[in-house]
Amino acid sequence: MDYEFKLDQFEGPLDLLLFLIRKNKIDIYDIPIALITEQYLKYLEIIRSLNLDEAGEYLVLASTLIHIKSRMLLPVPEEAETEEGEGDPREELVRQLLEYQVFKEAASALETRPVLERDVFRRGSHEGDVEGTPEDEALVEAGIFDLVAALERVIAASGSRELLEIDLEKISLADRINEIMEILAKNKSLTFHELLGEASSKRQIIYTFLAVLDLVKLRMVRAFQNESSGIIRIFLAVEE
Amino acid sequence: MEGLKAVVEALIFASESPLNVDKMADVLEDVDRKDIRDVLSQLVEEYRRETRGFWIVEVAGGYHFRTKNEWSPWIKKMKRGKPSTLTPAVMETLAVIAYRQPVLKAEIDKVRGVDTGGAIKKLLEKKLVRIVGRKDVPGKPIIYGTTQRFLEVFNLRDLSELPTLRELKELQE
């Protein structure tokens, strides 16, 4: 990372606006829009000169500010306004700012908690250091990305074998689901690899994969992944 | 049950992830849950009182051995590796999801005023956040929520232990 100006100092347009409000010691409920807009645009200019990609995100708020500013310049007609919402044009922006500020604080509050692997540690969990051995199967619930990655590995492995597909075997997803449930009922748990490994054709691999996805979705099986070795194990969801 | 406290202690010690009372009751079969809870609170209290490097904490709905905060500098030194930290943008996104869950990306974007796609992806990768489902509206947007791992990492017993959000009114000062 070379000269990336730390615009990350601001987490976005709302953050920049909060910064300006604090810097100018402004009451958030009574923002002098003209002053703030001017300063905001100045910062936007810097942002644009440094990182165009990010500038886009700041532009929307800039236009909102200018819009509010122009509305505040207009005399308020005596009869209550109709569509544009009653009262102060700044109201929506203030609400958004306050909400953002609450979550910004919530984020720092979370940060101050005793974070695992930073402030507190559990027994022998050593990220990246200990090679995952089959004995220490720390299982975490596997997500869809893990399943897809595992599928890619199996397909890559099966691709190296010479496969001749002779006739179209008629298999249905429902059949495959039932088969997998049967296998699991007998074996209690299987690795994803074992499950796919017994499939001989790409078609079967894909059906097996789809079946597992469906079963996970239906919560009939649960997929867990060994934290270190990445091996995915499929369990029946209801064991008792 | 004779030696129940020691057995429970051993179970927690041997467990990879936080161990809940249900699981202990499963293992201990005939033991009353109330008795398990009793020895648990005794154990927690004992470790708290003693000058040990670790204690039993109640986290993510279970009980787990964790080192005490104050010894982290030495452990970090031993482990050498830097703990992976989350950037403020990712932390903010996580906070919105934690407090607003089940929540849509559009809602998170709105609170933060920026596109949060990248941050959400990071959180999914870190398994702090998961896809809870899809909302039944046009486009079927994805609904996000936090994971069990989120509770483990931030040392939370459950979601109700999240620090309460500051009331908007108080911001006036």
Side-chain angles (χ1 to χ4, degrees):
Chain A
M1 257 195 221
D2 34 48
Y3 278 108
E4 265 239 293
F5 193 85
K6 261 293 166 200
L7 275 170
D8 294 3
Q9 190 193 338
F10 305 117
E11 299 309 328
L14 292 174
D15 203 22
L16 172 55
L17 204 53
L18 275 183
F19 167 78
L20 292 176
I21 287 168
R22 225 171 298 134
K23 196 175 125 222
N24 291 289
K25 299 197 173 68
I26 289 169
D27 176 8
I28 199 164
Y29 288 96
D30 188 20
I31 303 171
I33 286 289
L35 173 80
I36 286 294
T37 306
E38 188 194 328
Q39 293 193 359
Y40 185 91
L41 291 177
K42 241 180 236 158
Y43 271 89
L44 181 61
E45 208 42 57
I46 304 172
I47 293 168
R48 273 171 71 161
S49 65
L50 291 165
N51 187 339
L52 255 178
D53 278 353
E54 253 177 76
E57 298 199 315
Y58 290 81
L59 268 173
V60 183
L61 186 57
S63 68
T64 308
L65 284 171
I66 294 167
H67 181 67
I68 294 173
K69 187 179 155 192
S70 64
R71 276 183 57 199
M72 292 190 65
L73 290 174
L74 294 173
V76 184
E78 277 307 305
E79 325 101 68
E81 297 129 76
T82 42
E83 315 123 67
E84 281 281 316
E86 346 59 61
D88 202 323
R90 295 172 295 184
E91 202 180 281
E92 169 63 19
L93 181 65
V94 170
R95 201 198 51 71
Q96 215 182 336
L97 273 174
L98 290 174
E99 189 182 33
Y100 174 68
Q101 194 171 334
V102 166
F103 282 106
K104 198 173 150 65
E105 283 170 3
S108 351
L110 263 186
E111 280 262 67
T112 61
R113 292 198 58 82
V115 173
L116 189 64
E117 297 295 314
R118 187 190 72 187
D119 310 306
V120 296
F121 298 82
R122 53 185 172 185
R123 219 160 31 80
S125 60
H126 220 270
E127 272 177 71
D129 193 66
V130 224
E131 274 312 306
T133 48
E135 293 89 353
D136 71 354
E137 281 201 84
L139 296 177
V140 292
E141 198 140 6
I144 177 97
F145 301 122
D146 304 313
L147 286 173
V148 172
L151 173 70
E152 275 169 2
R153 283 199 296 275
V154 173
I155 289 185
S158 80
S160 60
R161 275 181 278 151
E162 232 17 92
L163 289 179
L164 272 179
E165 209 162 293
I166 311 230
D167 59 352
L168 284 181
E169 197 188 338
K170 287 265 194 300
I171 36 174
S172 77
L173 194 53
D175 287 347
R176 195 61 194 142
I177 287 177
N178 289 331
E179 274 173 49
I180 290 174
M181 288 306 281
E182 267 170 40
I183 298 171
L184 280 174
K186 256 181 254 157
N187 297 301
K188 209 161 181 210
S189 88
L190 275 178
T191 66
F192 191 53
H193 200 96
E194 284 165 349
L195 214 51
L196 287 177
E198 54 149 274
S200 52
S201 67
K202 268 215 174 111
R203 180 185 305 270
Q204 278 204 342
I205 291 175
I206 289 162
Y207 270 93
T208 307
F209 179 66
L210 289 177
V212 171
L213 283 187
D214 246 20
L215 286 167
V216 170
K217 189 179 150 207
L218 294 169
R219 303 197 185 285
M220 292 169 74
V221 305
R222 301 182 74 184
F224 288 96
Q225 185 171 34
N226 183 310
E227 218 162 355
S228 40
S229 69
I231 292 171
I232 294 173
R233 230 167 225 292
I234 314 284
F235 292 87
L236 275 185
V238 273
E239 271 172 54
E240 287 100 326
Chain B
M1 177 178 163
E2 194 74 23
L4 178 62
K5 203 200 299 185
V7 176
V8 167
E9 188 181 28
L11 288 179
I12 299 170
F13 182 80
S15 175
E16 290 279 350
S17 48
L19 192 64
N20 59 38
V21 178
D22 286 347
K23 226 184 232 163
M24 294 182 211
D26 269 0
V27 175
L28 298 166
E29 283 173 5
D30 299 327
V31 182
D32 207 35
R33 268 158 210 259
K34 196 191 157 292
D35 294 339
I36 297 177
R37 284 208 187 84
D38 282 350
V39 295
L40 273 170
S41 55
Q42 284 172 34
L43 277 170
V44 169
E45 189 47 39
E46 278 168 30
Y47 276 96
R48 197 205 316 275
R49 226 178 313 129
E50 282 181 52
T51 48
R52 297 218 176 263
F54 54 88
W55 53 3
I56 297 176
V57 291
E58 215 184 323
V59 66
Y63 292 81
H64 210 198
F65 275 108
R66 296 253 166 118
T67 60
K68 291 186 181 175
N69 271 15
E70 56 250 60
W71 315 123
S72 68
W74 282 273
I75 302 166
K76 272 186 222 164
K77 205 168 156 196
M78 175 185 79
K79 296 203 169 212
R80 276 181 301 245
K82 279 201 200 93
S84 56
T85 50
L86 300 172
T87 64
V90 176
M91 278 305 296
E92 279 177 19
T93 307
L94 182 59
V96 179
I97 295 175
Y99 284 93
R100 281 281 162 86
Q101 62 184 315
V103 67
L104 302 178
K105 177 174 173 292
E107 295 166 340
I108 310 167
D109 287 357
K110 188 149 181 289
V111 172
R112 294 197 52 236
V114 291
D115 178 76
T116 49
I120 294 175
K121 188 160 170 270
K122 185 108 225 167
L123 290 167
L124 284 171
E125 274 170 23
K126 296 236 171 221
K127 302 210 165 80
L128 294 170
V129 155
R130 68 193 179 95
I131 295 169
V132 187
R134 279 172 183 277
K135 193 167 182 182
D136 203 11
V137 293
K140 302 246 181 234
I142 292 172
I143 307 169
Y144 296 96
T146 53
T147 58
Q148 191 79 356
R149 185 166 167 77
F150 165 75
L151 297 175
E152 279 187 47
V153 168
F154 288 94
N155 255 279
L156 295 160
R157 214 172 304 146
D158 50 49
L159 286 173
S160 70
E161 217 204 337
L162 278 172
T164 42
L165 285 183
R166 194 141 73 102
E167 289 292 319
L168 284 177
K169 269 178 283 170
E170 286 176 49
L171 289 164
Q172 216 148 358
E173 69 188 59

